[in-house]
Amino acid sequence: QDYLRSKEEGREDATLQLLLNLSSQRGICFPCTPSSSLSFAQHHLLATPFPLLHTIKDDSSSEIQVAWEDVRLQLRCYLLERLSTESQTTRAVPSLSINQRVHRLQQLCFLYPECEVLTHYQEVRGQAMLALLHCAMSSSPANVTGFDRVTVAFRSVVPALTQALTEDLHILPRVVEQDAILGFLNASYLRPLARELTSLMERECETALRDNTMPG
């Protein structure tokens, strides 16, 4: 715990490698339970929707469990930050390769159930795609307004959306069962984008209606 809180570079990856070595070489089983911070409803949801690829018996005492919860929370924050940063398709931050992304997700699956990992990864990918759409909207040329602005912004996001879908179609089969993939893609990309586009179109409709009803 103290080591993870230090400022030493690479401490998170070193800790993850140590834990994996202890598990694979010494046969030490670490608890892989849902987050203690989840609500009862979230625990119930995580217990059913996605088939798990592995289970780990939890025989830890309460003191060790508290320490383990703290350690894996810090590691989860680190891994999700890496996945989040590397989900941004910008020149300043090169996109993570498929193998690297699979490796990060597998590390998360060592710490938490696959269903919970999917939930967090879904948020990371969905937020990155919505951020691209918002960026495209805000950077539209001044002479592009109204519905054209929404259309142009969405068109500029389509290549990134296609790339993200293609990447995850290669990544997810190596992390979760096949029947979880379609639901993940829908919840990560299609549903949030459809909801956001609907909101943008409704806003433009309200603006157009207001402009048309204003006295000349």
Side-chain angles (χ1 to χ4, degrees):
Q1 289 175 280
D2 292 336
Y3 176 62
L4 278 176
R5 293 193 182 98
S6 70
K7 299 298 182 181
E8 185 171 336
E9 187 176 352
R11 61 191 179 279
E12 295 92 353
D13 284 320
T15 301
L16 281 164
Q17 191 58 54
L18 173 63
L19 293 172
L20 288 167
N21 289 343
L22 288 173
S23 177
S24 61
Q25 298 175 13
R26 301 296 180 87
I28 298 176
C29 295
F30 295 95
C32 187
T33 54
S35 299
S36 59
S37 58
L38 293 179
S39 67
F40 174 81
Q42 288 173 311
H43 274 285
H44 178 71
L45 287 173
L46 289 174
T48 54
F50 302 109
L52 301 184
L53 298 183
H54 71 276
T55 56
I56 298 179
K57 187 178 180 181
D58 180 6
D59 292 323
S60 304
S61 67
S62 58
E63 294 82 5
I64 295 176
Q65 180 64 30
V66 170
W68 169 242
E69 189 68 27
D70 182 60
V71 166
R72 69 175 186 160
L73 177 60
Q74 293 181 65
L75 293 175
R76 185 185 74 185
C77 291
Y78 165 73
L79 291 170
L80 288 176
E81 182 181 3
R82 297 290 293 171
L83 285 167
S84 178
T85 301
E86 291 152 348
S87 288
Q88 300 172 13
T89 53
T90 65
R91 293 181 181 179
V93 183
S95 180
L96 203 62
S97 72
I98 288 177
N99 286 337
Q100 289 171 320
R101 196 177 297 279
V102 168
H103 180 61
R104 293 298 186 191
L105 288 171
Q106 288 174 339
Q107 288 177 320
L108 276 170
C109 287
F110 174 76
L111 302 171
Y112 292 93
E114 284 88 346
C115 47
E116 185 171 346
V117 171
L118 274 185
T119 299
H120 289 300
Y121 185 55
Q122 170 186 310
E123 293 174 357
V124 165
R125 297 294 266 175
Q127 288 171 3
M129 194 57 57
L130 289 178
L132 285 176
L133 179 60
H134 295 155
C135 180
M137 287 288 294
S138 62
S139 60
S140 296
N143 62 336
V144 179
T145 59
F147 298 110
D148 289 340
R149 180 165 166 259
V150 178
T151 302
V152 170
F154 179 67
R155 187 184 302 155
S156 69
V157 170
V158 168
L161 173 61
T162 303
Q163 179 183 342
L165 289 169
T166 302
E167 287 176 353
D168 283 335
L169 282 172
H170 285 88
I171 291 168
L172 293 174
R174 298 166 62 179
V175 182
V176 298
E177 298 288 353
Q178 291 284 345
D179 55 2
I181 296 175
L182 184 59
F184 173 88
L185 297 177
N186 185 44
S188 299
Y189 304 109
L190 306 182
R191 193 183 305 149
L193 280 174
R195 187 164 51 240
E196 185 64 19
L197 287 171
T198 299
S199 176
L200 291 171
M201 295 295 285
E202 288 175 347
R203 199 175 308 159
E204 293 299 337
C205 285
E206 292 172 359
T207 300
L209 182 62
R210 185 170 57 252
D211 291 343
N212 290 335
T213 56
M214 288 180 64

